[in-house]
Amino acid sequence: MKTAVGLAVGRGTGAELAAVFERALHRIAALHGAGIEIVRSPRTYHSYVSLREEVGDTGRIRALTEEDAAHYERFCRERARLGTTAVFRTAVNAQSLYLVRRRLQAVKVEPIAAGDAALLLVRDEAQGFYTGENRHTPGVVTRTMEFSREITGKVLEYAVRRAWRQWPDGGPARVVMAYKFHLLDGALDDWVGDLARGLGVEVRLFQPDTVNRNLITHGLGDRTVLVAGNEWADIMHVVLLDRFGGERQENRCTENVHLHPELGELVEYQTVHGSADDLAGKDTVNPVATLRAAAAIAERHAGCPGAVAEVEAALAAAERRGVRTPDLGGRDSTTAVADAVLDALTTRAADARPPIGGPRSAGAPLPVATPADRP
């Protein structure tokens, strides 16, 4: 029986990255003897640039934004209903995405490590300014949004549960929430206090600028869960990766978990970078984050243990050869980078197989990734 994986494609460089994702996922699956079926959404979703260039009119942009959101929401619901646990999505117009994330109660999850310290960033995508809806009158856009105790509870409960999965030997050492709570007349303070007592954890609620100051002064506290309103976390996600994770956003994939009970915590994987419409059709967009997303889905959802480490080793091998796209200072195309990584992946897999006629002898151990092999 094949594992079904969803695929949703947006404008800009979406088509090119979708092709990389399909190649990579099928290659990894073949190397592991796993059966995977990729189910693509029939709609190509707009980027913000494509809406401005192809439509222009504000009213029509608003209508297409809602059409994209409604279609993608139906696609996610249908995939979840049929038992799919993972979807890969290329970049889509942000307003469409956040309409879906509010309706499906999503959080974005990013583990970040710096030396001996580890942070789990959980971005609240289900409420707040980003999830608002717009009403237009001449010369005015009124944006309406809400916060609720129910959604705050779901986000916090998931963050604590995810932290125990991340650190099973001790769970989170501290839970911090970064929200502009002073704008909510004390309601968020009351909710968080009640919720923390119910979960049996201490939760400290801070203004985002205080969290920034503590991070700058003290760095990461080990096993910290940082639950954050998206108004701050959207900006700080990239800063945290750069300052503590040692990675450019172009190389990273991340996951969105849908907490609506009908979704069964369907996980949507995406690249951290956007649609890069200026690179569309040029075969120069960086495929590293997409390759990592394929590995994560293969290992976590499709029965391919070790896929993440294998792809990391293959990425390191390509990097040592200087194979990289122009955004990383190289001269290679998207296709060339993907080819180099997948070829290295296949070569390592072939080297790891026992010789024909019997198992590998004790004097010839299976190759493993060394620290030098990892980026």
Side-chain angles (χ1 to χ4, degrees):
M1 183 176 177
K2 291 185 176 181
T3 299
V5 173
L7 173 61
V9 184
R11 303 291 180 92
T13 55
E16 295 161 77
L17 293 176
V20 170
F21 175 78
E22 290 179 304
R23 284 183 60 206
L25 190 58
H26 283 309
R27 179 74 62 87
I28 296 167
L31 293 173
H32 283 262
I36 291 181
E37 176 190 11
I38 298 176
V39 182
R40 183 188 285 239
S41 171
R43 184 181 181 96
T44 301
Y45 302 98
H46 284 278
S47 68
Y48 182 74
V49 172
S50 75
L51 283 171
R52 293 294 299 173
E53 290 181 346
E54 297 173 23
V55 182
D57 174 71
T58 300
R60 185 62 181 146
I61 288 176
R62 187 182 184 192
L64 285 174
T65 293
E66 174 55 43
E67 288 176 22
D68 278 346
H71 189 282
Y72 186 50
E73 180 186 355
R74 288 195 300 271
F75 177 73
C76 290
R77 286 182 179 275
E78 179 66 5
R79 293 319 316 160
R81 186 184 69 80
L82 294 172
T84 297
T85 61
V87 171
F88 175 69
R89 175 190 53 73
T90 70
V92 175
N93 176 38
Q95 174 66 347
S96 296
L97 284 179
Y98 281 108
L99 289 173
V100 176
R101 288 169 176 169
R102 174 173 61 81
R103 295 165 188 172
L104 300 184
Q105 302 171 3
V107 291
K108 182 171 287 183
V109 184
E110 183 76 73
I112 299 173
D116 295 330
L119 171 76
L120 182 66
L121 174 65
V122 179
R123 288 172 49 177
D124 179 354
E125 300 177 305
Q127 57 186 351
F129 179 78
Y130 276 38
T131 63
E133 299 199 26
N134 299 329
R135 180 172 59 86
H136 293 257
T137 55
V140 177
V141 178
T142 303
R143 190 165 178 82
T144 304
M145 56 82 182
E146 66 179 31
F147 285 87
S148 77
R149 188 186 191 285
E150 176 192 6
I151 297 302
T152 303
K154 284 188 175 183
V155 171
L156 184 57
E157 186 278 331
Y158 176 82
V160 172
R161 177 158 45 89
R162 180 64 180 259
W164 275 100
R165 194 169 80 193
Q166 191 84 17
W167 305 304
D169 292 335
R174 62 194 56 78
V175 181
V176 174
M177 296 184 71
Y179 283 79
K180 300 292 285 185
F181 61 87
H182 68 295
L183 302 178
L184 303 180
D185 302 325
L188 191 62
D189 312 55
D190 293 341
W191 298 341
V192 169
D194 291 343
L195 292 164
R197 284 187 289 274
L199 291 169
V201 296
E202 180 183 358
V203 179
R204 305 188 69 186
L205 180 61
F206 291 110
Q207 295 288 349
D209 60 329
T210 302
V211 175
N212 288 347
R213 185 171 66 250
N214 288 342
L215 286 168
I216 291 170
T217 304
H218 305 295
L220 297 186
D222 190 31
R223 293 185 292 120
T224 296
V225 179
L226 177 54
V227 181
N230 230 8
E231 296 78 10
W232 173 81
D234 183 40
I235 297 168
M236 289 302 296
H237 189 165
V238 174
V239 175
L240 289 168
L241 286 175
D242 180 68
R243 185 176 180 89
F244 299 111
E247 278 278 8
R248 296 170 57 115
Q249 66 169 330
E250 291 83 1
N251 286 351
R252 294 285 293 212
C253 70
T254 191
E255 59 182 283
N256 304 281
V257 181
H258 298 92
L259 304 181
H260 191 288
E262 294 178 9
L263 272 289
E265 296 191 359
L266 175 76
V267 184
E268 174 203 80
Y269 291 81
Q270 64 164 102
T271 61
V272 175
H273 64 75
S275 56
D277 293 70
D278 58 320
L279 301 180
K282 298 180 180 179
D283 197 28
T284 57
V285 64
N286 184 343
V288 170
T290 300
L291 292 164
R292 283 177 161 156
I297 289 174
E299 178 164 327
R300 299 169 191 169
H301 302 270
C304 300
V308 170
E310 291 160 4
V311 168
E312 289 299 323
L315 285 166
E319 175 66 22
R320 286 195 295 273
R321 291 173 49 206
V323 181
R324 58 181 75 95
T325 45
D327 63 298
L328 299 178
R331 299 181 179 180
D332 297 287
S333 66
T334 305
T335 302
V337 173
D339 285 347
V341 173
L342 296 179
D343 288 348
L345 185 66
T346 304
T347 299
R348 289 179 67 88
D351 290 345
R353 294 191 191 105
I356 296 174
R360 187 180 292 264
S361 68
L366 296 177
V368 296
T370 66
D373 289 326
R374 300 188 181 101

